[in-house]
Amino acid sequence: MSSAFDPEEPIAATASAPGPGLRGIVRVSGPGAWRIALDGFEPDREFPTPTRSVVVSGRYRLPGLRPFLPADVALWPAPRTYTGQELAEIHAPGSPPLLGLLLAHCLAQGARPAQPGEFTLRAFLSGRLDLTRAEAVLGVIDARDDRRLEAALEQLAGGVAGPIEALRDRLLDLLAHLEADLDFVDEADVDPIGRVALADRLAREAEALDALTDRLGRRDRAEGNPRVVLVGPPNAGKSRLFNALLGGDHAIVSPLAGTTRDYLSGPCACDGLVVDLVDTAGIEAAVDAIAAEAQGLRASEAERADVLLACASADAPAVDLPVDDDRALMVWTKADRAGPPLGEEAAWIVTSASTGMGIDALRRALAAAIRGREGDHAATGTSARCRDSLIGAAAAIRDAADVMRAEAGDELIAFELRTALDDLGKVTGAVVADDVLDRIFARFCIGK
Ligand SMILES: Nc1nc2c(ncn2[C@@H]2O[C@H](COP(=O)(O)OP(=O)(O)OP(=O)(O)O)[C@@H](O)[C@H]2O)c(=O)[nH]1
Ligand SMILES: [Mg+2]
C-alpha cells in the first residue's frame, strides 16, 4: 500500500450520512483512537479501561463551544473491531457544524482525515474482511434499489467467501500430497483407481466453483442491463416505439387510449450497449382498480429506471412528463403526422415508429445518456474481476483433472493446481495487487 494509506496512523472521519440528521457519528480508528476521542470528554461516571466494547455517556468541553456538547462515546478494543484496530465512535447531535467541530478536534489530537473507504481497507488489511466482502460493503453503499441491496447483503453475509476458502484448503491438501509424492517418485506406485477417483473429485470441485461464480455474478446481474422506461400520456405511441426499438410485435398497439396496463420489458441493442427497455401504461388518473394497479406499476418502473424516455406527440401532448428529471430524454413521436411545437424542436428527439425516422438517433442518444451516467461508476466490474479469477480457477482445476486422467506427470497436475490456488487467492484477497486494492477502496465514501 502507498504510504498515504499507512494503517499505523490514526484516522478520523464523519461516518454518518452528510447533511443534518438526528444523530451524527465521528469515527476514529488506529493506535491512540481512544485517547483522541476521549480528549476534552467528561464522562458522566468514571470507567475502567475497557476490555470489551463500551458506550460512555458524557459531554465534550471544547474550545469555541459553550457550554458543552452532550455525546456518547463508543470504544472497542483491538482486535475484535470492524477495522481490526482500536476504534472509537463519537455519537453526537447530527448537526453538521457540531460534527465538523468534533472532527477538527480529533484531527488536532493527531488523527489524519480518512481517505474514502479507508476504514474498510483497514478491515481488509487486518484480515477482518476478505475482498468479496469488502466488495459487498461497497455494494450496500452503492445499492440503488432493493434488488441490488439484497444481492449485496447476501454477499456480505459471506455467501461466497466461506466456500472459496474451504475449496482452497482442499486444493492445498491435494497439492501437498502430490508434492510429497513428487519427492518419492521412485517408490511411487501409481494406483489407477485412485487417480480416476481423484480426477472425478476435481471435476466436482470445478462444478461447485461454477455454482459459486454464478452466485458472485448475481450482484453484477442485479446491476444488470441499464433499465430504460417509456413514459408519457396515453396514446403517445409508447408501445409502438417499444416494438420499433425491439424489432417485432411485442406490445399491443391500438388507437384506444389506455391500451397498456401491465408493463412489458425486453432487451434492446443500442449502439453497442444492451438495455432493458420497459413499456408502461400511459400517465393518467386511475378510474378503477386495474388502472390504479397499472399506474402503480408505471410509477415504480419509472422510479427504478436508469433512463426515462418521456414521450409525447401532437395528439398526446406533454402533460405530466418528467421534464425536470435528469434521467429523462424527451422523445417526440408520430413525427410523420406532426412535428413538435414551433420553437421547441431542439428539446425533442424527433421520431416516427411508423416510418422509422429518428429511431437510430434515439438509440444513439440513449447509449450516450447511459455511458454518461456510468461515468460515476467507472470502476464497476470489480466483482467481474473476481468472477474472471473464479472462471480461471475452475478451468485450471478441470485441466488438472484431464491431466490426471491422461496419466501425465504429477508436475503438470501440481502446476494446474497452483494456478487454480492463485486465482482463488486473488478472490479472497490472499494474493492481490496494491493497485487493485487502491482502485476498489477509492470507490467507498469517506467514513466507511
Ligand atoms: N402515424 C403514426 N401513428 C402512430 C405512431 N406511433 C404510434 N401510432 C399510433 O398511435 C396509437 C397509439 O399507439 P400506442 O403505441 O398504442 O400508444 P401508447 O402510448 O402505448 O398508448 P397507451 O398504452 O394507451 O398508453 C396507435 O393507433 C398507433 O398505431 C407513429 O409513429 N406514426
Ligand atoms: Mg401502450
Side-chain angles (χ1 to χ4, degrees):
M1 282 282 96
S2 51
S3 58
F5 279 119
D6 183 358
E8 289 311 308
E9 283 174 7
I11 50 171
T14 313
S16 39
L22 207 52
R23 301 289 279 171
I25 299 174
V26 173
R27 182 177 290 160
V28 192
S29 174
W34 292 1
R35 177 193 56 74
I36 291 167
L38 291 174
D39 189 274
F41 182 73
E42 290 173 3
D44 289 342
R45 271 183 259 110
E46 285 309 309
F47 61 97
T49 304
T51 50
R52 50 194 197 81
S53 64
V54 292
V55 179
V56 188
S57 298
R59 69 207 64 78
Y60 280 93
R61 283 187 204 281
L62 299 178
L65 188 74
R66 270 145 50 84
F68 55 77
L69 172 64
D72 294 331
V73 179
L75 303 170
W76 291 267
R80 298 196 56 82
T81 71
Y82 177 62
T83 55
Q85 302 184 311
E86 189 174 301
L87 189 70
E89 279 185 5
I90 304 172
H91 293 233
S95 122
L98 282 180
L99 293 173
L101 205 68
L102 280 172
L103 179 59
H105 180 67
C106 292
L107 299 183
Q109 297 311 308
R112 168 171 69 67
Q115 305 285 322
E118 201 170 0
F119 290 100
T120 308
L121 175 63
R122 289 187 175 193
F124 172 75
L125 290 177
S126 68
R128 302 283 300 163
L129 205 66
D130 62 37
L131 202 50
T132 47
R133 292 205 199 172
E135 286 208 318
V137 174
L138 177 62
V140 171
I141 295 166
D142 265 2
R144 276 171 289 161
D145 63 35
D146 290 352
R147 252 180 342 143
R148 291 166 200 182
L149 185 61
E150 204 176 295
L153 286 174
E154 192 202 282
Q155 197 174 329
L156 187 57
V160 288
I164 291 174
E165 272 306 317
L167 174 59
R168 269 191 103 222
D169 279 352
R170 290 196 297 276
L171 292 182
L172 272 170
D173 271 359
L174 194 57
L175 187 61
H177 278 107
L178 279 172
E179 290 187 330
D181 269 353
L182 284 181
D183 292 343
F184 302 105
V185 75
D186 292 339
E187 307 155 35
D189 139 38
V190 178
D191 164 9
I193 296 169
R195 297 245 137 179
V196 171
L198 209 53
D200 287 350
R201 203 183 105 192
L202 282 175
R204 281 199 301 278
E205 297 282 22
E207 263 166 44
L209 201 51
D210 289 344
L212 277 179
T213 310
D214 194 52
R215 271 163 73 185
L216 189 67
R218 213 168 289 155
R219 203 187 112 210
D220 269 8
R221 267 208 303 286
E223 280 171 4
N225 296 332
R227 269 182 110 72
V228 176
V229 178
L230 288 153
V231 294
N235 233 0
K238 301 178 295 298
S239 297
R240 194 152 165 194
L241 188 59
F242 176 84
N243 290 343
L245 284 165
L246 256 59
D249 286 338
H250 303 276
I252 301 173
V253 173
S254 95
L256 300 174
T259 302
T260 305
R261 303 274 76 167
D262 219 335
Y263 73 89
L264 276 180
S265 83
C268 169
C270 288
D271 212 23
L273 288 177
V274 177
V275 305
D276 287 334
L277 189 66
V278 182
D279 183 25
T280 62
I283 303 170
E284 62 185 344
V287 291
D288 56 30
I290 295 176
E293 180 96 339
Q295 291 300 312
L297 285 172
R298 177 189 55 73
S300 71
E301 279 303 312
E303 193 175 322
R304 63 197 274 237
D306 295 299
V307 175
L308 294 167
L309 295 183
C311 301
S313 61
D315 60 343
V319 279
D320 295 334
L321 280 192
V323 282
D324 293 330
D325 195 315
D326 64 358
R327 298 171 301 164
L329 292 179
M330 308 301 288
V331 181
W332 188 264
T333 55
K334 311 190 200 180
D336 54 297
R337 284 205 195 138
L342 281 178
E344 272 189 30
E345 291 88 346
W348 298 92
I349 299 164
V350 179
T351 67
S352 162
S354 92
T355 67
M357 162 192 177
I359 301 293
D360 281 339
L362 175 57
R363 284 187 211 277
R364 283 195 298 276
L366 195 48
I370 286 160
R371 293 204 170 98
R373 291 182 65 82
E374 280 180 351
D376 356 318
H377 291 268
T380 43
T382 39
S383 42
R385 187 184 44 70
C386 282
R387 218 167 58 228
D388 284 348
S389 298
L390 290 183
I391 290 169
I397 294 173
R398 289 203 168 89
D399 287 347
D402 289 346
V403 172
M404 212 172 262
R405 287 202 183 97
E407 295 185 29
D410 283 354
E411 301 86 343
L412 287 178
I413 303 169
F415 172 81
E416 296 296 350
L417 289 182
R418 264 189 234 106
T419 307
L421 281 166
D422 237 40
D423 275 334
L424 293 177
K426 278 181 202 147
V427 176
T428 54
V431 183
V432 77
D434 280 3
D435 63 328
V436 177
L437 281 185
D438 278 349
R439 241 176 290 148
I440 292 176
F441 289 101
R443 291 176 58 212
F444 284 88
C445 313
I446 292 177
K448 293 290 190 305

